[in-house]
Amino acid sequence: MNYQNILVENRNRIDFVTINRPDKLNAMNAQAKAELKQVFESIKNDSAVDVVILTGAGEKSFVAGTDIKELTELDCESGRAFSEGGQAVFTLIENLGKPVIAAVNGYALGGGAELALACHIRIASENAKFGQPEVNLGIIPGYGGTQRLARLVGKAKAMEMILTGDPIDAAEALRIGLVSKVVTQSELMKTAEEIAQKILSKGQIAIKMAIQAVNATQEKSLTDGQAVEARLFGECCATEDFKEGTRAFLEKRKAVFNNK
Ligand code: COA
């Protein structure tokens, strides 16, 4: 199938998906977003595809965000629908049941950063820049970024990135665990393909289950998470180690735990 804003090529059970609006730094307009949904729906049901590599056309940008031109007319209701529509596409990617590797080849800003966040593995070229600059436009990240970024790099760094809107470079993205590898631009696709080949050499049922299991760690709400925390805290309070630990502190001596 031919798309206007996306290129898809299949080689050796890998689909190479390229967002292709290089003159706009691959900013995602409504049509590109709709096409992205179609592409991933089709990949989900395509038994000839086991791994996806997602990148942007050109050497400057992965995706420089949602197309800002299309944001200007949004109001409360349409803004919410706009956000939910984008969230649905990115959740489709996260729950694809097949690994999606983001090969981030330049700017990954706003919706571009959020797109990368929805992928299972992120690698970047040295010139990559990640950022959530939405506050500069008077909005917040709306395609899952407030949720996925905090889960991935921790609340402190996510807050800093989202509240300042400042982008970070590839080295910083690697340092905070936002990407797992940084390579030269010329090595980027080769490296992504090597990772894809390695995954292809495994049992694909296990790969699918592994994605599901790791994704499940993100499913708990703060309320559910705190309920688990309270239950385990109570269980700790019932142990001999707890009694010994607190007693030792009060008696100003080193605790001797017997793991009971
Ligand atoms: N939406 C719409 N168009 C965009 C865009 C976006 N998110 N990002 C880039 N473009 C367009 C520019 O308007 C420009 O189009 P033009 O040639 O018709 O004027 C073209 O892409 C090239 O961008 P330009 O700004 O000239 O490149 P640059 O190298 O000077 O700057 C960026 C690159 C990424 C720093 C800058 O384009 C930018 O800040 N983009 C917006 C990023 C953003 O806020 N994203 C989040 C949106 S929610």
Side-chain angles (χ1 to χ4, degrees), residues 155-170:
K155 190 172 168 183
K157 193 69 194 179
M159 277 288 190
E160 185 193 328
M161 287 178 70
I162 291 170
L163 300 188
T164 65
D166 288 343
I168 59 170
D169 63 16

Side-chain angles (χ1 to χ4, degrees), residues 164-242:
T164 65
D166 288 343
I168 59 170
D169 63 16
E172 178 71 350
L174 182 64
R175 195 186 67 77
I176 66 173
L178 182 50
V179 299
S180 43
K181 254 191 183 63
V182 176
V183 295
T184 61
Q185 179 83 249
S186 61
E187 291 282 303
L188 184 67
M189 291 310 284
K190 190 172 142 262
T191 307
E193 207 169 331
E194 280 167 7
I195 297 171
Q197 291 296 350
K198 192 166 275 187
I199 294 169
L200 283 172
S201 72
K202 321 289 178 194
Q204 296 307 304
I205 295 175
I207 294 294
K208 185 177 176 170
M209 297 301 169
I211 291 174
Q212 216 172 306
V214 177
N215 277 351
T217 63
Q218 302 189 0
E219 286 298 312
K220 284 209 185 309
S221 68
L222 181 61
T223 310
D224 292 344
Q226 290 196 119
V228 172
E229 180 185 84
R231 179 172 57 76
L232 296 175
F233 184 86
E235 286 178 20
C236 289
C237 292
T239 63
E240 286 178 21
D241 282 353
F242 165 68

Side-chain angles (χ1 to χ4, degrees), residues 4-23:
Q4 269 186 25
N5 302 282
I6 297 181
L7 305 171
V8 185
E9 190 196 347
N10 182 274
R11 270 188 277 133
N12 292 327
R13 312 200 61 75
I14 304 171
D15 255 11
F16 294 80
V17 176
T18 306
I19 314 286
N20 188 31
R21 287 184 83 207
D23 55 324

Side-chain angles (χ1 to χ4, degrees), residues 21-29 60-61 63-71 82 107-112 114 129 131-137 139-143 167:
R21 287 184 83 207
D23 55 324
K24 300 289 178 199
L25 301 182
N26 306 318
M28 241 188 315
N29 57 10
K60 196 171 168 187
S61 186
V63 171
T66 293
D67 194 317
I68 296 171
K69 258 200 203 125
E70 295 184 353
L71 293 176
F82 179 89
Y107 291 115
L109 301 175
E114 291 170 300
K129 287 227 164 14
Q132 299 288 171
E134 287 87 348
V135 289
N136 296 330
L137 303 169
I139 48 174
I140 64 171
Y143 290 173

